[in-house]
Amino acid sequence: MNHGFVVWFPHFCAKIVINMPSISQKGQLMPESPIRKLVPYAEEAKKKGVKVIHLNIGQPDIKTPQVALDAVKNNTLEVLAYSRTEGSETYREKLAAYYAKNDIHVSAKDIIVTTGGSEALAFTMSTVADNDDEIIIPEPFYANYNGFATAVGVKVVPVISHIDSNFALPPIEEFEKLITPRTKAILICNPGNPTGYLYTREEIKKLAEIVKKHDLFLIADEVYREFTYDGKEHYSILQEEGLENHAIVVDSVSKRYSMCGARIGCLVSKNETLTKTALKFAQARLSPPTYAQIASEAALETPQSYFDQVKEEYVGRRDLLIQELKKIEGVKIGVPQGAFYCIVELPIDDSDAFAQWLLEEFRLDNETVMVAPAAGFYASEGHGKNQIRIAYVLDKENLKKAVHILKEGLASYIG
Amino acid sequence: MNHGFVVWFPHFCAKIVINMPSISQKGQLMPESPIRKLVPYAEEAKKKGVKVIHLNIGQPDIKTPQVALDAVKNNTLEVLAYSRTEGSETYREKLAAYYAKNDIHVSAKDIIVTTGGSEALAFTMSTVADNDDEIIIPEPFYANYNGFATAVGVKVVPVISHIDSNFALPPIEEFEKLITPRTKAILICNPGNPTGYLYTREEIKKLAEIVKKHDLFLIADEVYREFTYDGKEHYSILQEEGLENHAIVVDSVSKRYSMCGARIGCLVSKNETLTKTALKFAQARLSPPTYAQIASEAALETPQSYFDQVKEEYVGRRDLLIQELKKIEGVKIGVPQGAFYCIVELPIDDSDAFAQWLLEEFRLDNETVMVAPAAGFYASEGHGKNQIRIAYVLDKENLKKAVHILKEGLASYIG
């Protein structure tokens, strides 16, 4: 049981064993953020006075609704106490009303308020799957799904979706082929991070059919619900009749109200056994954060004009992004219909190396860009190596400049 | 794979199979809060107009320091953004200074800010243990340790401590007997919830020796550090020399500043491999809550006078509690030297039934008390069944009244 290592002190020719308890295998397997390894290169560039334009982060630059900020500033708490484990009663009631406005009919008892969508996903995975069970996810997918799956010992089984179809739902037979006795759920992100793809009603119905046929859960991460473009409407799995026992929605205030730092999300399901079980996982961590619930409850009063403006801004950015990307020779674009991400295929072999090169070597008027290599959004080895993810959460001027830098960088890299 | 159930509609003599995907075994095994099952009885009593005095909750009635509340009220954020995954740089720097004042010498890089002590514990367990690995914990222990262990698939191996010695550390041979190749860590809570016991320097040294000998981690939940009585001083495992690779401290602002609703804690260790691995689990959930970090950073400016007053108040309550409990015939008391909990042994067989009876049947001037049956704080079947946990987080007048009701209730119950 000695996992120690040995240190030699040559002057004394002595050997000292330093004991070191061992880290879990799970801990060793935990994936790092796909962007994290690039951070030191970005920091190094900045130290040298280079301006780095970030196309890699999902932190919107949009202002948080004033009504939410004010609610926290005007709070009159004297004791910052625990809330209820499932979230405050008034917040959950208002959340149910918010869903009703979106034609999703659930009641407060179907909602567990969580610490970010992250926690909703972690509770969901733990509630539906045991160690070595499987969850099928169309790839590319939000990289942290891998992290949560590893943390709870669940195996991610990917189904490839393709840039040529803008990452539409893969043929349902591809899912069916992968179903085993260990399969517990299918997980989708709709609209998608990192694809920006918005599933159609027909695609959701196909998924509904297959999960009912095989008694699986259908988990949908719907945190980008409000961000749909070109007149397209979001269709929630909770709107699908007959799916009451199967549908679990993971939601969050992070992107909706540009409140990523609140860390408030929720898990929504009409399956009572499921919510009761998820609540036991929630009980262990006592309650979601209180200030953030105050902000989130107030955020529900955000006027429609806020969303209209934000959506207009994102559509404008997306259009500009696509227009500028099209000026680059040899690129393929997964045109986003929602969210604020876009996968771009480049005429290169290894976007990891290219992203690092941009940070280390390339400058245009002393500026460069940071992009997210897409391989981290795939579970299948080797996929996405020529793709990057761009988040269009910066203003148009910088976005245009960033794509221009990318274009020039690419030309120089290939040349 | 059909886990459906069958519903009979007798009028039609027809049978409909309702499909229902199955919940994980882990989810089924997740323990419920030991108090939760009593809540409906308390609610029922309140509905009937009965006043229920709560001796069962760990939510302090103490006011949160004004400096923390003001920092949030005066914040000037326009975008409520993610913080860094490991917590804001300034907060971690100031936390390191706080520890230095407590003679614990760590730097910001040894600290990961978490969403409550709860998350620090979850990250720790995942980082040190795999599925079916074992962690030894002296019992009675904080009930949610069971929850986190179940969630990450880790087996809790209890070592019994006894009320007759105020729940002092069990003989170290008892620990040694339980160590197997699957043992990864020993976990203590110091001062203890639910025992109020404060481990001596000698006891910590014994634990240090055994974890070094067997290459285990020593995890200490030190969230009640400030609450030590009778001139006794807290000795942190991080103060123990030679334990740098083994010691992991779980900490929280919840009780220290009466900020349970903030949901800010931290994990502290000088073992770099450990903190780097724990950080990967943290990355998956992006960041701890931003408002709560603002409050927690400001709380570090809380004047010493606040702690002096709070401590004086708790000591006064403890003394009153013990004095009043001693008036009850046949009770044994685990006299607390820290925290604000106390285990009491009653001359009954089943404190679950007694607690329920108090809520359902017993009234003194239309009042009754709610206590926490202690069995939920033990992992060994059958232990603690004649014990209850009392939290002295209510004012002296109510505390005195509550113990009087308990005394009269007990007499009536036994009679």
Side-chain angles (χ1 to χ4, degrees):
Chain A
M1 281 261 292
N2 191 323
H3 312 284
F5 56 87
V6 170
V7 180
W8 284 96
F9 292 86
H11 291 296
F12 305 97
C13 281
K15 173 173 113 167
I16 298 171
V17 175
I18 299 180
N19 284 329
M20 184 76 102
S22 62
I23 296 294
S24 66
Q25 285 189 294
K26 182 190 284 184
Q28 293 171 49
L29 287 173
M30 270 300 281
E32 271 199 292
S33 144
I35 296 150
R36 196 154 188 103
K37 52 190 163 191
L38 291 173
V39 170
Y41 302 109
E43 279 171 1
E44 197 54 38
K46 285 175 193 172
K47 263 189 211 154
K48 291 180 183 154
V50 176
K51 186 183 164 195
V52 178
I53 306 180
H54 288 273
L55 291 174
N56 61 300
I57 353 178
Q59 167 62 56
D61 56 332
I62 304 288
K63 282 189 185 168
T64 306
Q66 199 57 41
V67 63
L69 298 173
D70 285 347
V72 172
K73 291 174 80 76
N74 299 331
N75 87 80
T76 55
L77 293 178
E78 293 195 328
V79 181
L80 183 58
Y82 291 122
S83 76
R84 296 176 69 141
T85 286
E86 62 271 36
S88 90
E89 200 62 21
T90 53
Y91 179 41
R92 283 159 59 244
E93 292 289 352
K94 288 184 195 169
L95 264 178
Y98 154 83
Y99 286 116
K101 264 202 303 189
N102 284 274
D103 202 25
I104 295 169
H105 300 284
V106 293
S107 59
K109 71 167 179 39
D110 305 322
I111 302 171
I112 298 175
V113 177
T114 55
T115 308
S118 305
E119 195 181 59
L121 193 71
F123 289 165
T124 299
M125 283 198 181
S126 298
T127 302
V128 309
D130 282 303
N131 210 39
D132 294 330
D133 281 346
E134 298 165 4
I135 296 183
I136 300 176
I137 315 181
E139 65 180 351
F141 54 75
Y142 176 50
N144 286 323
Y145 294 164
N146 262 329
F148 292 116
T150 307
V152 303
V154 167
K155 193 176 156 199
V156 169
V157 177
V159 188
I160 186 92
S161 71
H162 298 280
I163 196 165
D164 297 318
S165 61
N166 289 329
F167 302 103
L169 192 76
I172 208 73
E173 304 77 48
E174 296 299 315
F175 288 86
E176 197 140 27
K177 271 188 221 162
L178 297 169
I179 294 172
T180 75
R182 300 228 72 148
T183 308
K184 299 300 168 185
I186 295 172
L187 164 59
I188 59 170
C189 182
N190 186 29
N193 171 9
T195 64
Y197 185 76
L198 181 71
Y199 290 112
T200 64
R201 187 179 285 245
E202 289 63 41
E203 286 172 323
I204 298 296
K205 285 186 183 297
K206 280 185 197 167
L207 287 166
E209 223 166 279
I210 196 174
V211 296
K212 282 191 284 185
K213 180 172 166 195
H214 294 275
D215 265 346
L216 307 176
F217 285 103
L218 180 59
I219 308 164
D221 174 345
E222 301 186 350
V223 306
Y224 298 99
R225 179 179 306 114
E226 267 75 7
F227 307 114
T228 62
Y229 313 132
D230 309 327
K232 290 196 161 68
E233 273 197 22
H234 180 258
Y235 183 64
S236 169
I237 60 167
L238 291 170
Q239 290 173 281
E240 179 65 19
E241 257 181 69
L243 207 60
E244 290 73 13
N245 283 329
H246 304 262
I248 310 170
V249 160
V250 166
D251 209 344
S252 166
V253 304
S254 292
K255 314 292 161 133
R256 184 164 306 143
Y257 309 109
S258 193
M259 282 173 45
C260 295
R263 311 314 299 129
I264 289 290
C266 62
L267 178 163
V268 192
S269 178
K270 296 187 80 75
N271 180 326
E272 242 184 80
T273 314
L274 180 112
T275 49
K276 276 192 179 164
T277 308
L279 189 64
K280 293 195 287 179
F281 289 95
Q283 279 172 17
R285 63 74 167 124
L286 306 167
S287 81
T290 296
Y291 279 130
Q293 278 184 87
I294 294 172
S296 301
E297 185 170 332
L300 288 168
E301 309 294 330
T302 303
Q304 185 55 39
S305 56
Y306 173 90
F307 293 107
D308 294 343
Q309 276 169 32
V310 171
K311 204 154 143 170
E312 196 187 321
E313 178 62 29
Y314 280 131
V315 170
R317 290 177 185 183
R318 184 210 46 178
D319 292 346
L320 176 73
L321 176 69
I322 304 294
Q323 171 198 306
E324 295 303 305
L325 283 170
K326 282 187 173 164
K327 293 180 183 167
I328 309 179
E329 216 174 320
V331 304
K332 266 192 202 174
I333 306 156
V335 179
Q337 303 156 323
F340 37 67
Y341 305 99
C342 176
I343 293 271
V344 186
E345 198 165 293
L346 304 176
I348 54 170
D349 292 333
D350 181 349
S351 58
D352 262 295
F354 175 59
Q356 184 177 332
W357 177 86
L358 283 172
L359 293 170
E360 277 195 300
E361 307 281 341
F362 185 73
R363 278 97 182 93
L364 192 69
D365 298 332
N366 208 34
E367 296 185 341
T368 191
V369 290
M370 182 166 175
V371 297
F377 301 103
Y378 288 82
S380 303
E381 191 59 32
H383 276 97
K385 280 187 79 76
N386 58 351
Q387 298 176 351
I388 58 171
R389 186 194 74 175
I390 290 176
Y392 42 104
V393 289
L394 68 178
D395 63 70
K396 286 175 195 142
E397 193 188 336
N398 272 300
L399 191 62
K400 189 168 176 175
K401 203 200 297 178
V403 179
H404 182 63
I405 294 172
L406 184 68
K407 182 182 174 225
E408 295 299 315
L410 192 65
S412 162
Y413 187 75
I414 294 170
Chain B
M1 282 263 293
N2 192 322
H3 312 286
F5 57 87
V6 170
V7 180
W8 284 97
F9 293 86
H11 291 296
F12 304 98
C13 281
K15 173 173 112 163
I16 297 172
V17 175
I18 298 180
N19 283 331
M20 184 77 101
S22 62
I23 296 295
S24 66
Q25 285 189 297
K26 181 189 283 182
Q28 294 171 50
L29 287 172
M30 270 300 282
E32 270 199 294
S33 145
I35 296 149
R36 194 149 190 109
K37 52 191 162 190
L38 291 172
V39 169
Y41 303 109
E43 279 172 2
E44 197 54 39
K46 285 175 193 172
K47 263 189 212 155
K48 290 179 184 153
V50 177
K51 185 184 164 193
V52 178
I53 306 179
H54 288 274
L55 291 173
N56 61 300
I57 351 177
Q59 167 61 56
D61 56 333
I62 304 288
K63 281 189 186 166
T64 306
Q66 199 57 42
V67 64
L69 298 173
D70 287 346
V72 172
K73 290 173 80 78
N74 300 329
N75 87 80
T76 55
L77 293 178
E78 292 196 327
V79 181
L80 184 57
Y82 292 123
S83 75
R84 296 176 70 140
T85 286
E86 62 271 38
S88 90
E89 200 62 20
T90 54
Y91 178 41
R92 283 159 60 245
E93 292 289 352
K94 287 183 192 170
L95 263 178
Y98 154 84
Y99 286 116
K101 266 204 300 190
N102 284 273
D103 202 24
I104 295 169
H105 301 285
V106 293
S107 59
K109 71 169 177 41
D110 306 322
I111 302 170
I112 298 174
V113 177
T114 55
T115 308
S118 305
E119 195 182 59
L121 194 70
F123 289 165
T124 299
M125 283 197 181
S126 296
T127 302
V128 308
D130 282 302
N131 211 39
D132 293 331
D133 281 345
E134 297 166 3
I135 296 183
I136 300 175
I137 315 181
E139 65 180 350
F141 54 76
Y142 176 51
N144 286 323
Y145 293 164
N146 263 330
F148 292 115
T150 308
V152 301
V154 167
K155 193 176 153 198
V156 168
V157 177
V159 188
I160 186 94
S161 71
H162 298 280
I163 197 165
D164 297 319
S165 60
N166 288 329
F167 301 104
L169 191 77
I172 207 74
E173 304 77 52
E174 297 299 316
F175 287 85
E176 197 140 28
K177 271 187 220 161
L178 297 169
I179 293 173
T180 75
R182 301 228 71 149
T183 309
K184 299 300 170 188
I186 294 172
L187 164 60
I188 59 169
C189 182
N190 186 28
N193 171 10
T195 64
Y197 185 76
L198 181 70
Y199 289 112
T200 64
R201 187 180 286 246
E202 289 64 40
E203 286 172 323
I204 298 296
K205 284 185 184 297
K206 279 185 198 167
L207 287 166
E209 223 166 280
I210 196 175
V211 296
K212 281 191 285 186
K213 182 172 164 194
H214 294 275
D215 266 346
L216 308 176
F217 285 103
L218 181 58
I219 308 163
D221 173 345
E222 300 187 351
V223 306
Y224 299 98
R225 178 180 306 116
E226 267 75 7
F227 306 113
T228 62
Y229 313 132
D230 309 328
K232 289 198 162 68
E233 273 196 20
H234 180 258
Y235 184 64
S236 169
I237 60 166
L238 290 171
Q239 290 173 281
E240 179 65 18
E241 256 181 67
L243 207 60
E244 290 74 13
N245 283 329
H246 305 262
I248 310 170
V249 160
V250 166
D251 209 345
S252 167
V253 304
S254 292
K255 313 293 160 130
R256 183 165 306 143
Y257 309 109
S258 193
M259 281 172 46
C260 296
R263 310 314 300 128
I264 288 291
C266 63
L267 177 165
V268 191
S269 177
K270 294 186 81 76
N271 180 327
E272 241 184 80
T273 313
L274 180 113
T275 49
K276 276 192 178 163
T277 309
L279 188 64
K280 292 194 287 180
F281 289 96
Q283 279 172 17
R285 63 72 166 125
L286 305 168
S287 81
T290 295
Y291 279 130
Q293 279 184 87
I294 293 171
S296 301
E297 185 170 333
L300 287 168
E301 310 293 331
T302 304
Q304 185 54 40
S305 57
Y306 173 90
F307 294 107
D308 294 343
Q309 277 170 30
V310 171
K311 204 154 144 170
E312 195 187 322
E313 178 62 28
Y314 280 131
V315 170
R317 290 175 185 183
R318 183 209 48 179
D319 293 346
L320 176 74
L321 175 68
I322 304 294
Q323 169 198 307
E324 296 303 304
L325 284 169
K326 281 186 172 161
K327 293 178 183 167
I328 309 179
E329 217 175 319
V331 306
K332 267 192 201 174
I333 306 156
V335 179
Q337 303 155 322
F340 36 68
Y341 305 99
C342 176
I343 293 270
V344 187
E345 197 165 294
L346 304 176
I348 55 171
D349 292 333
D350 182 349
S351 59
D352 262 296
F354 175 58
Q356 184 177 334
W357 176 86
L358 283 172
L359 292 169
E360 278 196 299
E361 307 280 341
F362 186 72
R363 279 94 183 92
L364 192 68
D365 298 333
N366 207 34
E367 296 185 341
T368 192
V369 291
M370 181 166 176
V371 297
F377 302 104
Y378 288 82
S380 304
E381 192 58 35
H383 276 97
K385 282 188 75 80
N386 58 351
Q387 297 176 352
I388 58 171
R389 186 194 73 174
I390 290 176
Y392 42 103
V393 289
L394 69 178
D395 64 71
K396 287 174 193 141
E397 193 187 336
N398 273 301
L399 191 61
K400 189 169 176 175
K401 203 198 298 177
V403 180
H404 181 64
I405 294 171
L406 184 69
K407 181 179 175 230
E408 296 299 316
L410 192 65
S412 162
Y413 188 76
I414 294 170

